Amino acid sequence: MTEAQTQRALHETHQELVRALAREHTLAATQDSEDGVPDEVFDALVERAQALMTYEEQLPALLAEPQRLRSERIVFWSWRAESVVTAALIVGALLLGHSGWWLLLLVPHLVATFCGWQLKTTLKDHLDRRYASIGLHVVTVLLALVVLGVISSWFLIAVLIGWALVGGGLASDSQGAGK
């Protein structure tokens, strides 16, 4: 189901709940007598109103769910893909005869991407996690270009800054989720 279909279905459900409440209200208004509204009619009216209020409280989360699911897929595949790229970089660096010092940079990068496999997205943090995962792609591209000798080794500073931003974004998400 697409996002537009989901929004339409949620809107239709909301409208049906509103119509049901209106029907109950009309029934209560027509049955009003000297003694007031019968208990059964009043209880049904209150029940419909509570159902509508409960649905309206859940509606923002229901509307955001397709975006969260998209973020979940991006986070899931980004970290795995970057692990594969990093493993290929390690093999490539060894095959190209680069010094073993590159492993001091590549192995922690690989371990960090493996740790990212555990990331979960929630309604609150899914966009931050998505952006961090996309930022990881930039960091890995820079790292690959440096290791393969396409750009200067000075760009390792940009790689480290990138990791600080990715890691800092993820750390602030987890701290904010704990509050």
Side-chain angles (χ1 to χ4, degrees):
M1 184 179 287
T2 67
E3 191 172 340
Q5 291 171 329
T6 301
Q7 288 180 352
R8 186 177 306 119
L10 292 171
H11 178 70
E12 289 171 1
T13 302
H14 182 262
Q15 290 303 313
E16 180 55 39
L17 288 170
V18 169
R19 286 190 291 273
L21 179 60
R23 283 192 301 271
E24 292 295 333
H25 180 264
T26 303
L27 182 62
T30 59
Q31 293 197 4
D32 194 9
S33 63
E34 291 177 6
D35 299 334
V37 178
D39 287 341
E40 303 83 31
V41 174
F42 181 76
D43 290 343
L45 179 64
V46 169
E47 183 180 317
R48 295 286 185 186
Q50 287 175 340
L52 178 61
M53 288 179 4
T54 301
Y55 187 77
E56 286 178 346
E57 288 173 0
Q58 297 170 348
L59 198 54
L62 294 171
L63 287 170
E65 185 62 13
Q67 285 292 324
R68 190 200 66 78
L69 290 173
R70 182 176 296 127
S71 294
E72 186 174 87
R73 285 190 304 274
I74 289 170
V75 168
F76 181 86
W77 288 110
S78 291
W79 290 85
R80 283 158 178 76
E82 297 311 324
S83 294
V84 170
V85 169
T86 306
L89 277 174
I90 291 171
V91 171
L94 293 174
L95 289 177
L96 291 173
H98 290 323
S99 71
W101 288 103
W102 284 109
L103 295 178
L104 291 176
L105 184 64
L106 292 172
V107 170
H109 186 82
L110 180 64
V111 170
T113 57
F114 279 142
C115 291
W117 287 27
Q118 304 301 318
L119 290 176
K120 303 292 182 210
T121 59
T122 63
L123 194 57
K124 259 185 165 178
D125 70 0
H126 75 93
L127 285 176
D128 293 332
R129 298 262 166 121
R130 180 194 301 188
Y131 297 146
S133 297
I134 292 169
L136 177 67
H137 293 297
V138 175
V139 170
T140 303
V141 166
L142 277 174
L143 182 63
L145 293 173
V146 170
V147 169
L148 296 175
V150 176
I151 60 177
S152 169
S153 296
W154 285 101
F155 279 93
L156 286 177
I157 295 169
V159 170
L160 295 175
I161 291 171
W163 259 113
L165 293 173
V166 169
L170 295 174
S172 67
D173 289 345
S174 62
Q175 289 173 358
K179 289 182 182 179

